[in-house]
Structures are given as structure tokens and as C-alpha cells.
Amino acid sequence: MAKATSAAPRRKRDAEQTRADILQAALEEFSNMGHSGARVDRIAARAGISKPMIYDYFGDKDAIYAASLREAYIQIRRGEADLDLDPGRPERAVRELVRFTIDHYWRKPWFIRMLNNENLLGGDTIRSLHDAAGIQSVFVTRLEEVLRHGESQGHFRRKVDPAEFYIFVASICYFPISNMHTLRAVFAVPIDDAWIERWGNEAADMVLAYLRDPRDAAGEAG
């Protein structure tokens, strides 16, 4: 009996790891090759499993793509969940969010490529994911708490929508990563680890300047 009991968790862990390996391989394949250019046999090779097993886990190529797109959002939300977004220290929380966002885009470039590909496809797949809004909702709620506390403490301006604020943060962090090759060529900008760290700090300064109540800035100027 003890032997059977110990074997069941092992099978579960193996299945979970196999699924994770497939999703990561799919993220890399779809982000590099796009939906039309991606091949399930290459995903299988990357994951180190058989092609039929991928179909057993997820179904056809479209289903694999949908699962990997969902995983892209899951991973960034998981990283954000680990952030110390203390509503009692709103400016520090915002700064940490900005730094994390650009670092995630930089360290996991497949995230931006997946989003670019999905937008080229018209966003059909993301709209088909039944829990897409739910994946975002917990983070948006946490961010709203930070913004409301910043407002109540007199640090931030009023009526900042958390979802629109996140779009603002993502835009500042997204552009230099998604366009790094052309920016390097046209402006001779290095866009390396040191540049990304500096950009993250300066982007946080810009975001906080936007959030601060204009009356505070006027008082400081006077």
C-alpha cells in the first residue's frame, strides 16, 4: 500500500513537468517562427518528448498555441504576484513594478514576440481564452490598492485607472525591447544589461512624475 501511495505523487509531478516542458518549448517555437511557421515536431524535440505525446496533452497545433499564449500571461502574472507591492509604500511599489516589467521583457523576449504574433493574428486566440480576464484581475486589484493608497496619502493624482496605468507602464518598457534591433541600428543605442537597468530606473522616475499630484509639483517649483 505504501508503495502505491508514493508512486502516485511521482506520476503527477512527472505529468506536470512534462506539461511545463511542452509549454516552454511551444513558447520558444511560436515566438520565433510565428503561428504559421511553427512546427509541432520541433516543439517535441525542444521538450525532449514524442510528438504524439504533445497531441495527447493539448490536442492540435492551434490548441498548443493557445495554451502557450495563456502560459505567457500566466508567467508574467506569477512574477508580479511575487513583487512586494505594499500599498502602504505606493511609490516604492510602483518603482518595483516598472523595474520588474522591463526586466521580464528583457529576460524573456519570447513574451513580447508572442504578443506581437497574436496581434498580427488579430487577437483571435486571446479572445477565445475563457479565463484571460481572470488571469489579469488579481494583479489589477493589487495595483488599484497601491494607486488608491497613493492617492489617499496625497502622493498620487486622482482617478488613475489601474488597467490604463498598467498599459502606460507596459508601453514604456515594451518599446525599447520590441524594437531593439532597429534602435541599435538607427540611434546606436547599446540596449544591453546596463542600458536596460538604467532605462528601468529612469522609466520609474517618469511614471512616478506622472502619478504625482500636479499641485505638489507646483508647490515645489514655487
Side-chain angles (χ1 to χ4, degrees):
M1 180 69 71
K3 183 176 181 180
T5 302
S6 62
R10 179 177 180 83
R11 286 196 298 271
K12 182 179 179 181
R13 285 197 298 271
D14 289 347
E16 290 174 351
Q17 186 60 56
T18 298
R19 190 177 190 279
D21 291 343
I22 294 171
L23 286 173
Q24 189 58 45
L27 280 170
E28 295 169 7
E29 176 68 12
F30 283 113
S31 67
N32 287 324
M33 307 304 297
H35 182 278
S36 61
R39 296 291 179 266
V40 178
D41 54 353
R42 286 199 294 261
I43 295 174
R46 285 176 183 270
I49 62 172
S50 68
K51 186 175 177 180
M53 184 176 289
I54 291 183
Y55 291 127
D56 287 342
Y57 271 82
F58 294 103
D60 62 14
K61 179 181 172 181
D62 288 342
I64 300 167
Y65 170 75
S68 64
L69 181 64
R70 180 180 182 277
E71 178 68 10
Y73 282 99
I74 288 289
Q75 287 192 17
I76 192 169
R77 297 290 92 89
R78 187 182 298 136
E80 289 162 347
D82 291 336
L83 296 178
D84 181 20
L85 300 185
D86 180 4
R89 306 181 70 177
E91 294 195 358
R92 178 181 176 181
V94 167
R95 187 172 293 278
E96 185 167 353
L97 172 62
V98 174
R99 288 173 172 171
F100 165 80
T101 302
I102 194 166
D103 188 68
H104 185 87
Y105 294 169
W106 177 245
R107 303 296 172 191
K108 300 184 177 182
W110 46 259
F111 177 79
I112 283 182
R113 292 197 294 265
M114 286 293 289
L115 267 60
N116 287 343
N117 288 334
E118 177 61 11
N119 279 285
L120 287 172
L121 294 172
D124 291 340
T125 299
I126 192 65
R127 282 195 295 270
S128 73
L129 299 180
H130 70 279
D131 61 346
I135 293 171
Q136 324 301 327
S137 63
V138 174
F139 170 69
V140 172
T141 298
R142 290 184 69 204
L143 183 55
E144 184 174 23
E145 291 175 359
V146 170
L147 294 173
R148 294 293 81 84
H149 273 74
E151 177 189 334
S152 66
Q153 293 173 12
H155 298 305
F156 297 164
R157 67 176 71 213
R158 298 178 179 178
K159 297 180 181 177
V160 179
D161 180 87
E164 292 187 0
F165 175 70
Y166 182 72
I167 293 172
F168 184 55
V169 170
S171 300
I172 294 174
C173 298
Y174 189 98
F175 184 83
I177 309 298
S178 65
N179 297 279
M180 70 175 77
H181 302 298
T182 52
L183 292 174
R184 285 168 176 161
V186 174
F187 295 111
V189 180
I191 309 189
D192 53 16
D193 286 342
W195 190 93
I196 289 295
E197 183 177 2
R198 178 173 64 82
W199 182 266
N201 289 329
E202 293 178 356
D205 290 340
M206 288 188 285
V207 168
L208 287 169
Y210 161 75
L211 281 175
R212 291 185 180 113
D213 194 313
R215 291 171 297 182
D216 292 343
E220 291 174 3

